[in-house]
Amino acid sequence: MFITNPEIEEYLKSLIQEEDPVLKEMEELGHKLNFPIVDKLVGRFFYLLTKLKKPKLIVELGSGFGYSGYWFAKALTDGKVILTDYKEENINLAKKFFENGNLSEKAIFRTGDAIEIVSEYKNIDILFLDLEKRRYKEAVEKLIPNLNPNALIIADNVLWHGKVVQKNPDKQTEAIKEFNEFMFNLPDFFTTIIPLRDGVLISLKQ
Amino acid sequence: MFITNPEIEEYLKSLIQEEDPVLKEMEELGHKLNFPIVDKLVGRFFYLLTKLKKPKLIVELGSGFGYSGYWFAKALTDGKVILTDYKEENINLAKKFFENGNLSEKAIFRTGDAIEIVSEYKNIDILFLDLEKRRYKEAVEKLIPNLNPNALIIADNVLWHGKVVQKNPDKQTEAIKEFNEFMFNLPDFFTTIIPLRDGVLISLKQ
């Protein structure tokens, strides 16, 4: 089951002439390790949202080896992105990629429990969720007090390979469906989902 | 041929509890007349982009009876949206809907050739293209001098019912493909396409 017609996805990718060698390297590594990274279409979308939002502080819950964080950092003119992952190995890879792309000064790298780490940060402008799917709702509930006015919440994988529309969903899918409904009904937040790759939820604090 | 899996689209729409009666009326009218309006998923996306961008001036090339314009206007805190259409009948409908939604003060309604009308406006923050598909490129070429720094160009229907990936495309499809390539290669613009409904191109002047 697919979300976007694969031929259309191919067409969209064919239009992009990516010139950043670090992004290419990261994409190749993701492919090689079969590591789930948001792809270049999602990356470009994050870049655009960041350019529009002009945030001072972006926090990522679940950075992997830094692909999404790299796109956020590229779009920052004045601000920082906090990358978190529970695996030191991933964070070390991310550090290397950011160095190669001359983006280290825009990033802070942290290893450990993402929600715990991010709880230390106040005045968050963009909160990016890409940790275990069952923890999305918990993350938002805990971190709402740390958000700036007009903060943006972005969550990846909210269509979960299309499983959200299948009968007898498993527990992880149930958790994602519950999270989506929670976000669409959260007072003072305006939420929508973009069916890009695995589904990107965007929610603006109003 | 579809762009987004129809079951997924249904799911996304099911999450939305739209409370604005004017939007509902417009959606019903679009359905009844089989008039192509950007749907509520695209409307919400425009609302979000506008909230992030905080524009002073939005211009629409091809407003129909005002559905997209209504979403733009709803998101404006301080600014105007210029609606254009070559059919007086459409513009009159739009006026009525804006009155019912108490949004008239945020809008200027114009009938005639969209490109010609919009050429009068300088300092454009968001340029929205929804006129005849063969004229998209002409519109951008003519209006680039009228854009503000960091202006956003948004174009609807850039995947043209998926025809962009079909063999032996017709002339209209060829024009859209050419426009997409033109935008992705336009110096000083960062472009991406969101496969939402019929395809939404977004391009940021850098």
Side-chain angles (χ1 to χ4, degrees), chain B residues 58-89:
Chain B
I58 302 174
V59 296
E60 286 201 324
L61 284 84
S63 295
F65 59 73
Y67 185 77
S68 54
Y70 192 95
W71 276 105
F72 283 125
K74 260 173 96 83
L76 282 174
T77 42
D78 167 32
K80 294 265 189 202
V81 53
I82 316 296
L83 287 86
T84 65
D85 205 88
Y86 64 98
K87 276 195 180 171
E88 185 129 29
E89 188 191 340

Coordinates of all heavy atoms in Angstrom, one line a residue, chain B residues 58-89:
Chain B
I58 N -1.1 39.6 -0.6 CA -1.3 38.3 -1.4 C -2.0 38.7 -2.7 O -3.0 39.4 -2.6 CB -2.1 37.3 -0.6 CG1 -1.4 37.0 0.8 CG2 -2.3 36.0 -1.4 CD1 -2.3 36.1 1.7
V59 N -1.5 38.1 -3.8 CA -2.3 38.3 -5.0 C -2.6 36.9 -5.6 O -1.8 36.0 -5.6 CB -1.6 39.2 -6.1 CG1 -1.4 40.6 -5.6 CG2 -0.2 38.5 -6.5
E60 N -3.8 36.8 -6.0 CA -4.3 35.6 -6.6 C -4.5 35.8 -8.1 O -5.3 36.7 -8.5 CB -5.6 35.1 -6.0 CG -5.6 34.6 -4.6 CD -6.8 33.7 -4.3 OE1 -7.9 34.1 -4.8 OE2 -6.7 32.7 -3.6
L61 N -4.0 34.9 -8.9 CA -4.3 34.9 -10.4 C -5.2 33.7 -10.7 O -4.8 32.6 -10.7 CB -3.0 34.7 -11.2 CG -2.1 36.0 -11.3 CD1 -1.3 36.1 -10.1 CD2 -1.3 36.1 -12.5
G62 N -6.5 34.1 -10.8 CA -7.5 33.0 -11.0 C -8.1 32.6 -9.6 O -7.7 31.7 -9.0
S63 N -9.1 33.4 -9.2 CA -9.7 33.2 -7.9 C -11.0 32.3 -7.9 O -11.4 31.9 -6.8 CB -10.0 34.5 -7.2 OG -8.8 35.2 -7.0
G64 N -11.6 32.1 -9.1 CA -12.9 31.5 -9.1 C -13.8 32.2 -8.2 O -13.9 33.4 -8.2
F65 N -14.6 31.5 -7.4 CA -15.5 32.2 -6.5 C -15.0 32.4 -5.1 O -15.7 32.6 -4.2 CB -16.9 31.5 -6.5 CG -17.0 30.0 -6.1 CD1 -16.8 29.7 -4.7 CD2 -17.2 29.0 -7.0 CE1 -16.8 28.4 -4.3 CE2 -17.3 27.7 -6.6 CZ -17.1 27.4 -5.3
G66 N -13.6 32.3 -5.0 CA -13.0 32.8 -3.8 C -12.6 31.8 -2.7 O -12.2 32.2 -1.6
Y67 N -12.6 30.5 -3.0 CA -12.3 29.5 -2.0 C -10.9 29.6 -1.4 O -10.7 29.8 -0.2 CB -12.6 28.1 -2.5 CG -12.5 27.1 -1.4 CD1 -13.4 26.9 -0.5 CD2 -11.3 26.3 -1.3 CE1 -13.3 25.9 0.6 CE2 -11.2 25.3 -0.3 CZ -12.2 25.1 0.6 OH -12.0 24.2 1.6
S68 N -9.9 29.6 -2.3 CA -8.5 29.8 -1.8 C -8.3 31.1 -1.2 O -7.7 31.2 -0.1 CB -7.5 29.5 -2.9 OG -7.8 30.4 -4.0
G69 N -8.9 32.2 -1.8 CA -8.7 33.5 -1.3 C -9.3 33.6 0.1 O -8.8 34.4 1.0
Y70 N -10.4 32.9 0.4 CA -11.0 32.9 1.7 C -10.1 32.4 2.7 O -10.0 32.9 3.8 CB -12.3 32.1 1.6 CG -13.2 32.3 2.8 CD1 -14.3 33.2 2.8 CD2 -13.1 31.5 3.9 CE1 -15.1 33.3 3.9 CE2 -13.9 31.6 5.0 CZ -15.0 32.5 5.0 OH -15.8 32.7 6.1
W71 N -9.4 31.3 2.4 CA -8.4 30.7 3.3 C -7.3 31.7 3.6 O -6.8 31.8 4.7 CB -7.9 29.4 2.8 CG -8.8 28.2 3.1 CD1 -9.6 27.5 2.3 CD2 -8.9 27.5 4.4 NE1 -10.2 26.5 2.9 CE2 -9.8 26.5 4.2 CE3 -8.4 27.7 5.7 CZ2 -10.2 25.6 5.3 CZ3 -8.7 26.9 6.7 CH2 -9.6 25.9 6.5
F72 N -6.8 32.3 2.5 CA -5.7 33.3 2.7 C -6.2 34.4 3.6 O -5.5 34.8 4.5 CB -5.3 33.8 1.3 CG -4.4 32.9 0.5 CD1 -4.8 32.6 -0.8 CD2 -3.2 32.4 1.0 CE1 -4.0 31.8 -1.6 CE2 -2.4 31.6 0.2 CZ -2.8 31.3 -1.1
A73 N -7.4 34.9 3.3 CA -7.9 36.1 4.1 C -8.0 35.7 5.6 O -7.7 36.5 6.5 CB -9.2 36.5 3.5
K74 N -8.5 34.5 5.8 CA -8.7 34.0 7.2 C -7.4 34.1 8.0 O -7.4 34.3 9.2 CB -9.2 32.6 7.2 CG -10.7 32.4 7.4 CD -11.1 30.9 7.2 CE -11.2 30.2 8.5 NZ -12.5 30.4 9.2
A75 N -6.3 33.8 7.3 CA -5.0 33.7 8.0 C -4.3 35.1 8.1 O -3.3 35.2 8.8 CB -4.1 32.7 7.2
L76 N -4.8 36.1 7.4 CA -4.2 37.4 7.5 C -4.5 38.1 8.8 O -5.6 38.1 9.2 CB -4.7 38.3 6.3 CG -4.1 38.0 4.9 CD1 -4.9 38.9 3.9 CD2 -2.6 38.3 4.9
T77 N -3.4 38.7 9.4 CA -3.7 39.5 10.6 C -3.7 40.9 10.1 O -4.5 41.7 10.6 CB -2.6 39.3 11.6 OG1 -1.3 39.2 11.0 CG2 -2.8 38.0 12.4
D78 N -2.8 41.3 9.2 CA -2.7 42.6 8.8 C -2.2 42.6 7.3 O -1.0 42.4 7.1 CB -1.6 43.3 9.7 CG -1.2 44.6 9.2 OD1 -2.0 45.3 8.5 OD2 0.0 45.0 9.4
G79 N -3.1 42.8 6.4 CA -2.8 42.7 5.0 C -4.0 42.4 4.2 O -5.1 42.3 4.7
K80 N -3.7 42.4 2.9 CA -4.9 42.3 1.9 C -4.6 41.1 1.0 O -3.4 40.8 0.7 CB -5.0 43.5 1.1 CG -5.4 44.8 1.8 CD -6.9 45.0 1.7 CE -7.2 46.4 2.3 NZ -8.6 46.5 2.8
V81 N -5.7 40.5 0.5 CA -5.6 39.6 -0.6 C -6.3 40.2 -1.8 O -7.5 40.7 -1.7 CB -6.1 38.2 -0.2 CG1 -7.4 38.2 0.4 CG2 -6.0 37.2 -1.4
I82 N -5.7 40.2 -3.0 CA -6.3 40.6 -4.2 C -6.9 39.4 -5.0 O -6.1 38.5 -5.3 CB -5.3 41.4 -5.1 CG1 -4.4 42.3 -4.4 CG2 -6.0 42.1 -6.3 CD1 -5.0 43.5 -3.7
L83 N -8.2 39.4 -5.1 CA -8.8 38.3 -5.9 C -9.0 38.7 -7.3 O -9.5 39.9 -7.5 CB -10.1 37.9 -5.3 CG -10.0 37.1 -4.0 CD1 -9.9 38.0 -2.8 CD2 -11.2 36.1 -3.8
T84 N -8.7 37.9 -8.3 CA -8.9 38.2 -9.7 C -9.6 37.1 -10.4 O -9.4 35.9 -10.1 CB -7.6 38.5 -10.5 OG1 -6.9 37.3 -10.5 CG2 -6.8 39.6 -9.8
D85 N -10.5 37.4 -11.3 CA -11.1 36.4 -12.2 C -11.6 37.1 -13.4 O -12.0 38.3 -13.3 CB -12.2 35.6 -11.5 CG -12.4 34.2 -12.1 OD1 -11.7 33.3 -11.6 OD2 -13.2 34.1 -13.0
Y86 N -11.6 36.4 -14.5 CA -12.1 37.0 -15.7 C -13.6 37.0 -15.8 O -14.2 37.7 -16.6 CB -11.5 36.4 -17.0 CG -11.8 34.9 -17.2 CD1 -12.9 34.6 -18.0 CD2 -11.1 33.9 -16.5 CE1 -13.2 33.2 -18.2 CE2 -11.5 32.6 -16.7 CZ -12.5 32.2 -17.5 OH -12.8 30.9 -17.7
K87 N -14.3 36.2 -14.9 CA -15.7 36.2 -14.9 C -16.3 37.0 -13.8 O -16.1 36.7 -12.6 CB -16.2 34.7 -14.7 CG -16.2 33.9 -16.0 CD -17.0 32.6 -15.8 CE -17.1 31.8 -17.1 NZ -17.7 30.5 -16.8
E88 N -17.1 38.0 -14.1 CA -17.7 38.8 -13.1 C -18.6 38.0 -12.2 O -18.7 38.3 -11.0 CB -18.6 39.9 -13.8 CG -19.2 40.9 -12.9 CD -18.9 42.4 -13.3 OE1 -18.8 42.6 -14.5 OE2 -18.8 43.2 -12.4
E89 N -19.3 37.0 -12.7 CA -20.2 36.1 -12.0 C -19.4 35.5 -10.8 O -19.9 35.4 -9.7 CB -20.6 35.1 -13.0 CG -21.7 34.1 -12.5 CD -21.8 33.0 -13.6 OE1 -21.4 33.1 -14.7 OE2 -22.3 31.9 -13.2

